[in-house]
Amino acid sequence: MDIECSKEEIKLFERIAASAGEMGVQCYLIGGFVRDKLLGRPTKDVDVVCQGDGIRLAHLVAASLPHNPQVNFFKNFGTAQFRHHGFDVEFVGARKESYSSDSRKPQVEAGTIEDDQLRRDFTINALAISLNKEDYGKLIDPFNGVNDLQQKIIRTPLDPDVTFSDDPLRMMRAIRFATQLDFTIIDEVFDAIGRNKGRLKIISQERITDELNKIMLADKPSVGLDLLYRSGLLREFFPQLTDLTGVEIIEGKGHKDNFYHTLQVVDNTAAKSSDLWLRWAALLHDIAKPATKRFEEGHGWTFHGHEVVGERMVPKIFKQLKLPLHEKMKYVAKLVSLHLRPISLTKEDITDSAMRRLLFDAGEDLEDLMILCESDITSKNKLKVKRYLENFGFVKQRLKEVEEKDSIRNWQPPISGDDIMQIFNLSPSREVGVLKTAVRDAILDGLIPNTHDAAYRLLLEKAGEMNLKPVN
Ligand code: ATP
Ligand code: MG
């Protein structure tokens, strides 16, 4: 395997080598940078390890660079970092680690490059390239990491039970790398994840979710989600998702395995969009199916209202997983609540008013909703999928036509909630909502024209029925 470096990179490495030479310390490129270079993956994170004071080395290198980048450093961890031409360059002193069982914070002491490679999580992450005069550019590969890169396997330098028990986050990392790189976790390592899954509880949810999001952003998130499920890790932090697994059969009738259906929907979505939150909407679109599942005699399985219950589950899940609780959460909840609407419009005889309602409700998220809904069309029966997709194409076309005619997506009704409060001297209340919806629906349904006068007349009529009078 060969490494290709840009002129910028070569210049930077020569600077690092020169400064390490001045300090009289041995120094190496290591970790993700070497791995990704060998794989030919683009990488902007340069990891450097030296047998000595990494923080001092970072300062020396920074001072020797023309633009004198500012060095950020953490004395406690012995790490330092600066940015250089879009690269994130990180320095650390080579170290030896020993762990106690109740924390993932190890006892750390200075060590050799061999010690440092031994503390790395996987063989493919333990590769080093010398920046020393005597063997500049030499690959140092004590655990056959290059071989594992070629075989596309994930293996630990140490006994995997020790590796995972010492720092359980590595179990998430193993699955994340397998997903991102399309590598296989060898059986011995995968089995060790199953045995050590309970250790995940000493890891903060933020770090777990960080890895989960990297899995969600991979080309095929289902690879990692399935590994998380099969190893038992998923149940440790996200039981609502594992509750989707399994098929129940009554009177000879089964339903889809909603977990594997969901994984397919996530992959379908990922093929069309790299947006993390749209992928999250795909992951959660059927999350309330277990809670709403019923068997109706003579009919079969139903999941009535799962989109409504699912919408309500989103905030709880976001909180539990320490995901952001503002717009992104609202966006995911909205898509979950609307995910059945476009497909319901594939029936015949759908009115323009039903189209207008969806355009209004989805608003700026219509394209994303259509991606989600189209991705939700999965079946083993290829003909069925083809027919659904065709019908779905018609819906898309009609939505486009109705939008061109009526411009509903950015439309606001001619009378707002504020107007209603002023007209009847009301404070925010249920009545205001009822009146606002009545006006809006009448226009969307084409019962009255989209004008202020018509809306006002209807408003007075509805308000009269509720014994409300305008104040002047
Ligand atoms: P990426 O940057 O894509 O997340 P990476 O392998 O570079 O992948 P980093 O978190 O940047 O991951 O870490 C850099 C290197 O530090 C890794 O390649 C690995 O050698 C080492 N490392 C990181 N986290 C751990 C850990 N939890 N246990 C052991 N070694 C680790
Ligand atoms: Mg990295």
Side-chain angles (χ1 to χ4, degrees):
M1 283 186 164
D2 275 337
I3 284 191
E4 267 185 46
C5 288
S6 65
K7 271 197 199 117
E8 280 302 340
E9 287 170 328
I10 292 168
K11 250 206 233 115
L12 173 67
F13 301 154
E14 282 169 2
R15 298 268 181 187
I16 298 171
S19 300
E22 262 173 59
M23 276 173 67
V25 298
Q26 304 276 70
C27 154
Y28 307 82
L29 296 167
I30 194 156
F33 180 80
V34 178
R35 177 198 69 220
D36 287 342
K37 276 287 171 195
L38 285 165
L39 287 173
R41 287 177 97 218
T43 170
K44 286 282 174 189
D45 292 358
V46 181
D47 301 310
V48 181
V49 60
C50 76
Q51 268 174 215
D53 185 345
I55 297 179
R56 194 168 151 231
L57 177 59
H59 279 103
L60 266 185
V61 177
S64 78
L65 290 168
H67 67 119
N68 257 289
Q70 187 196 320
V71 179
N72 305 306
F73 60 96
F74 304 92
K75 262 225 143 73
N76 293 346
F77 298 103
T79 60
Q81 172 272 352
F82 62 72
R83 296 198 61 84
H84 172 68
H85 287 301
F87 289 101
D88 187 3
V89 194
E90 295 216 16
F91 294 81
V92 61
R95 59 205 217 186
K96 202 173 170 163
E97 291 179 348
S98 53
Y99 287 81
S100 63
S101 65
D102 55 346
S103 139
R104 67 181 282 264
K105 296 204 179 63
Q107 294 259 351
V108 177
E109 54 186 300
T112 62
I113 178 71
E114 290 81 18
D115 295 327
D116 198 274
Q117 284 175 296
L118 207 56
R119 76 170 178 88
R120 304 265 161 182
D121 47 5
F122 307 110
T123 58
I124 59 169
N125 286 348
L127 293 155
I129 293 175
S130 165
L131 294 180
N132 305 310
K133 222 191 214 124
E134 57 281 10
D135 55 0
Y136 192 87
K138 181 176 167 210
L139 187 71
I140 301 164
D141 178 14
F143 314 113
N144 278 321
V146 168
N147 191 45
D148 291 348
L149 279 180
Q150 281 163 343
Q151 307 283 322
K152 300 180 74 161
I153 59 180
I154 297 193
R155 208 156 52 85
T156 52
L158 301 172
D159 174 350
D161 281 303
V162 175
T163 297
F164 293 144
S165 174
D166 280 352
D167 177 359
L169 185 69
R170 293 167 179 162
M171 300 188 281
M172 293 295 298
R173 283 172 59 88
I175 291 176
R176 188 253 291 188
F177 287 123
T179 315
Q180 284 180 326
L181 304 175
D182 190 22
F183 275 34
T184 305
I185 302 173
I186 63 163
D187 287 347
E188 191 197 336
V189 171
F190 191 70
D191 294 347
I193 296 180
R195 285 193 294 274
N196 289 278
K197 61 178 192 242
R199 295 278 296 151
L200 202 63
K201 63 176 172 293
I202 67 164
I203 303 294
S204 75
Q205 187 56 50
E206 285 84 349
R207 302 189 80 126
I208 296 171
T209 296
D210 216 33
E211 295 298 329
L212 180 60
N213 278 340
K214 288 182 182 172
I215 291 169
M216 288 297 283
L217 284 169
D219 291 344
K220 264 185 85 178
S222 67
V223 172
L225 293 166
D226 188 33
L227 290 170
L228 284 174
Y229 168 62
R230 287 195 290 112
S231 64
L233 276 183
L234 192 58
R235 183 162 283 286
E236 295 292 312
F237 63 92
F238 199 175
Q240 297 95 328
L241 197 58
T242 56
D243 285 348
L244 290 176
T245 55
V247 176
E248 214 176 316
I249 299 176
I250 296 184
E251 292 177 6
K253 285 188 177 150
H255 55 77
K256 277 186 199 175
D257 180 309
N258 288 308
F259 180 74
Y260 285 102
H261 162 69
T262 292
L263 297 203
Q264 183 65 54
V265 178
V266 172
D267 279 358
N268 291 350
T269 304
K272 298 185 193 111
S273 164
S274 53
D275 186 275
L276 176 64
W277 303 107
L278 179 51
R279 293 174 178 203
W280 265 99
L283 188 66
L284 298 181
H285 79 285
D286 276 349
I287 198 72
K289 276 202 167 169
T292 55
K293 181 163 113 171
R294 301 273 177 282
F295 186 82
E296 289 175 10
E297 240 165 271
H299 180 63
W301 294 99
T302 64
F303 305 90
H304 291 308
H306 73 273
E307 74 284 14
V308 181
V309 179
E311 176 189 15
R312 276 191 242 125
M313 285 172 75
V314 170
K316 187 169 170 271
I317 289 172
F318 266 54
K319 211 166 154 208
Q320 167 189 329
L321 297 180
K322 297 262 168 30
L323 287 161
L325 297 179
H326 299 296
E327 314 88 77
K328 299 305 178 194
M329 180 182 82
K330 286 205 186 111
Y331 162 88
V332 171
K334 175 178 170 185
L335 289 189
V336 170
S337 83
L338 293 176
H339 82 269
L340 296 172
R341 293 273 297 278
I343 205 76
S344 75
L345 300 181
T346 54
K347 297 190 196 102
E348 278 166 42
D349 301 332
I350 298 292
T351 57
D352 276 10
S353 103
M355 296 282 166
R356 281 197 292 268
R357 268 168 196 280
L358 179 61
L359 288 165
F360 181 78
D361 289 341
E364 61 180 3
D365 300 317
L366 183 76
E367 278 83 11
D368 289 0
L369 177 64
M370 296 307 272
I371 290 178
L372 171 60
C373 195
E374 192 162 15
S375 303
D376 196 12
I377 300 172
T378 72
S379 164
K380 288 203 183 84
N381 183 337
K382 285 212 175 94
L383 278 174
K384 226 175 168 177
V385 170
K386 187 165 170 270
R387 198 176 66 230
Y388 273 130
L389 285 175
E390 274 169 13
N391 289 343
F392 196 71
F394 294 134
V395 173
K396 268 191 180 162
Q397 183 55 33
R398 269 199 68 196
L399 280 169
K400 207 171 141 221
E401 285 162 14
V402 173
E403 174 61 20
E404 273 164 14
K405 188 155 61 79
D406 299 343
S407 311
I408 293 297
R409 292 178 63 188
N410 294 312
W411 172 74
Q412 286 300 326
I415 293 184
S416 71
D418 280 345
D419 296 338
I420 295 172
M421 288 194 278
Q422 265 188 15
I423 295 169
F424 300 102
N425 193 23
L426 291 170
S427 38
S429 57
R430 202 184 64 85
E431 276 101 341
V432 179
V434 170
L435 290 171
K436 199 174 120 182
T437 312
V439 170
R440 191 196 74 190
D441 287 357
I443 297 173
L444 288 174
D445 290 345
L447 298 175
I448 60 168
N450 179 19
T451 62
H452 186 274
D453 280 0
Y456 190 72
R457 249 176 281 132
L458 181 97
L459 179 66
L460 290 188
E461 191 184 311
K462 290 280 163 199
E465 288 167 16
M466 295 160 69
N467 289 323
L468 291 170
K469 288 202 175 63
V471 279
N472 47 32

